[in-house]
Amino acid sequence: MGPSLAYIHHKHFVHNINLIRNAVGDRKIMAVVKANAYGHGSIELAKTAVNSGCEYLGVAFVEEGRELRNANIKTPILVFGAHQPEHLLQAAEHDLEITLTSMEQLTKFEHLLIGKKMKAAVHIKVDTGMHRVGVQPHDFEGVLKSVLNSKVFELKGIYSHFATSDDMDDYYAKSQLHKFEEIHELTLNYIQHDIQFHMANSAAIMKFPEAYFDMVRPGVMLYGGRPGPDFPLEWDLKQVMELRSKIGLIQSLEANESVSYSRRYYTKDSTDIAVIPIGYADGYSRALTNKGEVIINDKKYPVVGTVCMDMIMADLNKNSGCSAGKDVILFGESGDLKISIDDIAKKTGTIAYEVTCNISKRIPRIHLY
Ligand SMILES: Cc1ncc(COP(=O)(O)O)c(C=O)c1O
């Protein structure tokens, strides 16, 4: 195994699930494990989610759901997003629940199902303001009636998605919530059986208990990340991924020598530079050039010079006591020191989601239970 590893702390993941469970009580939790569980490893994390009481799993693509089914996961799985009817058919074949997003898609899909003598479990997605995917509220009643009158659809849920639940200003999120409440009321005129209404993503789970309905859909908070760089985090979430490497070698340089491509860093005095075998091909962003930090031997050191494809450099100063082979924490904790994924996201102008999704295949995930 290579020198750089991502440790996946399942105890932290379970801790985060338990916090959500305490808040939502007996409403269902759909653990969002799309995109390889935000880069953590979808099969392993999905299994832990199910074993920790999550009643549903959420993925973006049929292929992601199929992977979970192949791993013998039997829990209901919803595929989000807008997909072609042929893909939806594959989803139905793998016992995946499907998102219906328009009358046109519904009609084509229904014909395919009738032709194949198959049935499909579906959720209707309503566009309350994200303006990405979903039935428009004024078309909803027609779509609902078509689903209920169809012999090939089994309606499992109705859902929507917030565009701004992580914003400080709640105005738009509240307007979306209000629209979804109207959809909820309207539906109750038609439905006698139990279906799941769901809307709350991580930010809404932490901010809007009134958005819980029958089920919540946490993603980033399960992994211990903030929904937005400035989101005020009042929950004691624990970071699930820890990224570590080892010092490859130490270069001793004189004062005023440049380090790495394009000479973006010059040594101030004679110093020791640790060369660490991880780079942007591993998902350690090039935007961390002269901005990143690492922890070695319970001390923080700056990442200096341009982040390369396979290497970064850290300035240790003289007499650090570090040597080749020493553990390096790129993000994670050591004693009182911490480098959070949120810190990295902020420094690189992105969100926690992207930081963990970008940790590439080259980094083996080590699952710690
Ligand atoms: C439909 C849907 N629900 C829930 C989530 C989870 O969102 P978050 O990671 O912000 O909790 C996502 C993720 O983007 C999503 O697409």
Side-chain angles (χ1 to χ4, degrees):
M1 230 177 298
S4 304
L5 301 169
Y7 291 95
I8 308 298
H9 295 278
H10 284 246
K11 284 201 174 103
H12 292 183
F13 186 64
V14 173
H15 165 91
N16 298 336
I17 292 173
N18 289 341
L19 291 182
I20 300 169
R21 175 60 71 204
N22 287 342
V24 305
D26 56 10
R27 294 168 178 101
K28 291 188 163 70
I29 300 176
M30 176 187 291
V32 178
V33 292
K34 62 181 180 166
N36 197 26
Y38 292 38
H40 294 68
S42 61
I43 292 173
E44 293 86 351
L45 278 283
K47 285 184 174 169
T48 298
V50 170
N51 291 337
S52 307
C54 294
E55 294 89 347
Y56 253 89
L57 298 168
V59 297
F61 294 103
V62 173
E63 200 43 49
E64 293 178 327
R66 184 149 64 171
E67 228 180 274
L68 299 178
R69 286 283 177 256
N70 289 344
N72 208 24
I73 293 171
K74 308 265 195 267
T75 308
I77 299 173
L78 172 63
V79 182
F80 306 141
H83 301 289
Q84 297 306 310
E86 310 79 74
H87 297 137
L88 297 183
L89 203 60
Q90 290 166 15
E93 280 165 5
H94 289 89
D95 188 26
L96 305 172
E97 298 181 13
I98 290 145
T99 298
L100 291 181
T101 58
S102 70
M103 187 62 108
E104 190 195 349
Q105 179 214 35
L106 181 159
T107 310
K108 284 189 188 158
F109 186 35
E110 190 178 24
H111 281 138
L112 274 180
L113 285 168
I114 291 170
K116 295 268 182 189
K117 295 193 170 52
M118 280 173 63
K119 291 190 175 194
V122 297
H123 294 235
I124 303 171
K125 186 164 193 181
V126 188
D127 179 8
T128 54
M130 177 75 165
H131 299 150
R132 184 176 64 173
V133 171
V135 176
Q136 292 308 309
H138 55 81
D139 293 329
F140 171 74
E141 197 167 6
V143 170
L144 176 67
K145 283 187 196 165
S146 300
V147 170
L148 293 176
N149 290 333
S150 166
K151 293 201 165 40
V152 295
F153 293 131
E154 185 191 353
L155 184 62
K156 292 281 190 181
I158 294 174
Y159 76 106
S160 193
H161 195 47
F162 283 109
T164 63
S165 50
D166 59 312
D167 267 13
M168 300 299 277
D169 184 348
D170 293 346
Y171 164 76
Y172 196 71
K174 289 265 168 87
S175 79
Q176 282 194 260
L177 180 55
H178 180 63
K179 283 187 191 155
F180 196 58
E181 280 162 350
E182 287 176 349
I183 295 287
H184 185 229
E185 255 174 53
L186 174 70
T187 309
L188 296 182
N189 296 327
Y190 290 94
I191 301 256
Q192 280 83 42
H193 65 281
D194 218 15
I195 63 162
Q196 310 300 313
F197 275 81
H198 48 108
M199 185 170 196
N201 55 0
S202 294
I205 292 169
M206 292 189 269
K207 274 171 69 178
F208 307 131
E210 64 273 33
Y212 289 173
F213 295 93
D214 305 306
M215 177 154 75
V216 295
R217 300 193 310 267
V220 74
M221 70 184 297
L222 290 174
Y223 309 103
R226 268 172 217 263
D230 298 315
F231 188 85
L233 202 57
E234 282 159 20
W235 289 41
D236 171 34
L237 299 173
K238 290 196 193 305
Q239 191 171 293
V240 173
M241 188 188 284
E242 183 187 20
L243 185 62
R244 284 178 179 254
S245 188
K246 287 186 190 299
I247 296 179
L249 64 96
I250 294 188
Q251 271 261 36
S252 295
L253 297 181
E254 295 305 320
N256 208 31
E257 297 208 78
S258 64
V259 175
S260 192
Y261 287 120
S262 308
R263 311 186 76 191
R264 292 189 171 96
Y265 181 77
Y266 285 81
T267 55
K268 287 170 196 65
D269 295 303
S270 61
T271 190
D272 289 339
I273 299 285
V275 181
I276 303 160
I278 191 164
Y280 61 79
D282 302 291
Y284 192 84
S285 172
R286 195 167 175 277
L288 289 163
T289 293
N290 282 335
K291 279 197 202 162
E293 285 181 314
V294 295
I295 302 172
I296 309 169
N297 266 356
D298 291 332
K299 220 174 147 200
K300 273 192 188 175
Y301 296 99
V303 170
V304 297
T306 305
V307 170
C308 308
M309 188 185 283
D310 318 300
M311 278 176 255
I312 59 171
M313 274 58 75
D315 192 339
L316 305 178
N317 290 317
K318 278 288 178 203
N319 307 316
S320 64
C322 298
S323 50
K326 267 270 169 239
D327 260 8
V328 178
I329 300 177
L330 288 310
F331 49 78
E333 284 178 52
S334 167
D336 292 340
L337 296 180
K338 180 172 183 183
I339 298 173
S340 73
I341 289 167
D342 292 317
D343 296 335
I344 304 263
K346 217 167 187 175
K347 280 189 178 165
T348 55
T350 185
I351 48 177
Y353 307 63
E354 197 181 7
V355 174
T356 55
C357 282
N358 277 354
I359 300 305
S360 74
K361 262 195 178 158
R362 201 158 73 170
I363 305 286
R365 272 61 170 173
I366 308 295
H367 291 273
L368 303 175
Y369 292 90

